[in-house]
Amino acid sequence: MVSFAGYNMPVEYTGITQEHITVREGVGVFDVSHMGEFLVTGPSAFRFLQYVTSNDVAALVDGKVQYSCFPNGKGGIVDDLLVYRFSQEKYLLVVNAANTEKDWNWCVSNAGKFGLAVGRDLVNASDEIAQLAVQGPLALKAMQKLTPVSIENMEYYTFKVVDFAGIKDVILSITGYTGAGGCEIYVKNEDGTALWKAVFEAGKEFDIKPIGLGARDTLRLEMGFCLYGNDINDQTSPIEAGLGWITKFADYKDFIDKSLLLRQKEEGVARRLKGFVMIDRGIPRQHYEVVDANGMVIGEVTSGTMSPMMKQGIGMAYLSKGYWKADTEIFIRIRNKDLKAKVVDLPIYNKS
């Protein structure tokens, strides 16, 4: 157990590698109740979200989820987040636990421009909601037993409000941070224990296991999913981070940092976040230098680990221009040795 964002969190139960493989091949459960949740409602909700988030909220329909980020007014990122649309006037924002207070203050500081009343139109529900992420190729098969509503064929990045394990008005979504399939289940705190028990009972025949933060990190890194505080932060722009696909410049959308980020998109950036795989034996770690064949520093590792599925060192790094193409040879400086690696397209791990 470790202290994380004000919570006691399990890093591992039986071992990171074993837990990682459980999620890739079977079904595992993450208690992610520490995540932050904000409700945005009312006639100005849509305009507010168009302004504070980088993605185009107009592309959402009821029951759809969108990955996005909060630009910080200086070209960096306040946080990355999920936007759930219930209706044109009701949205749920799911933010990173470590950033909940910062994100809340950011939203509050921008709410007045749109006449949103804090506590009425903008509500911080983080302390009232428990969330389990049930992940893996067998997750939906196991969870289908707990609801009469069909969930096994739900589309990626959609959600439904369902009766689940005898609990009313449960939010069940398909977003995932592991790349292994599965769902997220949101309930009121008081229903958290009953939910946990029901999920494990339903998953018993599939050898369901609890999974810790350690495997959550290795799973997301194999997919090349950004982790706030590692791969993105207040100093990294979404364009540099390869998140241009969640940064939409439609004429009808005015948002924080729009002109700055558009200029970056059109003129290019000096560095970019890329995935890589070690060729020489070694485990890359955050802040390790990346160098070229002549030993010149060309970047810095943001996340790194030994991939449990590939049995190779993998990672992500910001690299200087000229080193972005797949198969480009780079070197990771590990304990004063320059170990060979190559740039790869994301996801780093490909099941096929």
Side-chain angles (χ1 to χ4, degrees), residues 231 236-245 261 264-276 290 298-300 302 316-325 343 346:
D231 315 298
T236 57
S237 91
I239 306 301
E240 291 175 329
L243 298 176
W245 61 280
L261 296 174
Q264 285 188 356
K265 188 182 181 185
E266 290 171 348
E267 296 174 5
V269 287
R271 61 173 191 163
R272 182 150 273 174
L273 187 65
K274 292 303 211 184
F276 66 86
V290 185
I298 55 165
E300 182 180 323
T302 57
M316 293 200 287
Y318 279 100
L319 300 175
S320 301
K321 205 167 188 174
Y323 298 91
W324 299 345
K325 281 175 76 169
V343 176
L346 302 178

Side-chain angles (χ1 to χ4, degrees), residues 60-281:
L60 284 172
V61 293
D62 298 357
K64 199 95 173 74
V65 189
Q66 188 177 70
Y67 180 55
S68 193
C69 77
F70 294 127
N72 71 355
K74 300 171 187 170
I77 299 171
V78 179
D79 201 6
D80 59 336
L81 73 150
L82 296 175
V83 180
Y84 286 60
R85 174 175 152 146
F86 291 83
S87 72
Q88 176 76 6
E89 295 192 4
K90 184 183 178 186
Y91 301 84
L92 172 71
L93 311 184
V94 181
V95 303
N96 285 302
N99 291 337
T100 301
E101 189 179 352
K102 179 175 79 158
D103 294 352
W104 175 249
N105 292 338
W106 182 251
C107 287
V108 167
S109 71
N110 285 286
K113 300 182 183 84
F114 299 89
L116 290 181
V118 176
R120 184 194 69 198
D121 307 315
L122 183 62
V123 175
N124 187 349
S126 305
D127 290 341
E128 297 155 32
I129 295 174
Q131 185 198 155
L132 299 184
V134 187
Q135 297 286 292
L138 300 176
L140 292 178
K141 198 171 189 179
M143 295 305 98
Q144 184 62 77
K145 295 191 211 172
L146 296 173
T147 180
V149 177
S150 175
I151 61 169
E152 283 192 75
N153 296 314
M154 281 175 67
E155 277 180 48
Y156 196 40
Y157 271 72
T158 63
F159 73 96
K160 291 178 178 178
V161 179
V162 298
D163 287 352
F164 190 88
I167 306 163
K168 296 263 182 229
D169 299 328
V170 172
I171 300 168
L172 188 142
S173 65
I174 312 286
T175 62
Y177 194 54
T178 64
C183 61
E184 300 77 43
I185 308 161
Y186 299 81
V187 296
K188 294 188 184 83
N189 279 350
E190 53 266 32
D191 294 319
T193 306
L195 175 68
W196 178 274
K197 286 176 178 169
V199 162
F200 276 85
E201 188 57 41
K204 198 182 275 181
E205 67 169 293
F206 303 103
D207 203 22
I208 195 167
K209 295 279 196 311
I211 313 293
L213 280 179
R216 190 166 169 78
D217 194 48
T218 55
L219 286 155
R220 69 92 195 167
L221 188 46
E222 284 186 343
M223 290 298 105
F225 294 152
C226 289
L227 177 64
Y228 195 91
N230 283 44
D231 315 298
I232 52 176
N233 57 43
D234 285 308
Q235 273 80 49
T236 57
S237 91
I239 306 301
E240 291 175 329
L243 298 176
W245 61 280
I246 65 163
T247 311
K248 299 294 167 57
F249 299 100
D251 291 341
Y252 55 78
K253 177 176 167 69
D254 180 33
F255 66 98
I256 294 167
D257 282 342
K258 181 178 183 177
S259 56
L260 190 159
L261 296 174
L262 184 58
R263 192 163 68 245
Q264 285 188 356
K265 188 182 181 185
E266 290 171 348
E267 296 174 5
V269 287
R271 61 173 191 163
R272 182 150 273 174
L273 187 65
K274 292 303 211 184
F276 66 86
V277 172
M278 298 299 299
I279 295 168
D280 290 340
R281 190 149 183 85

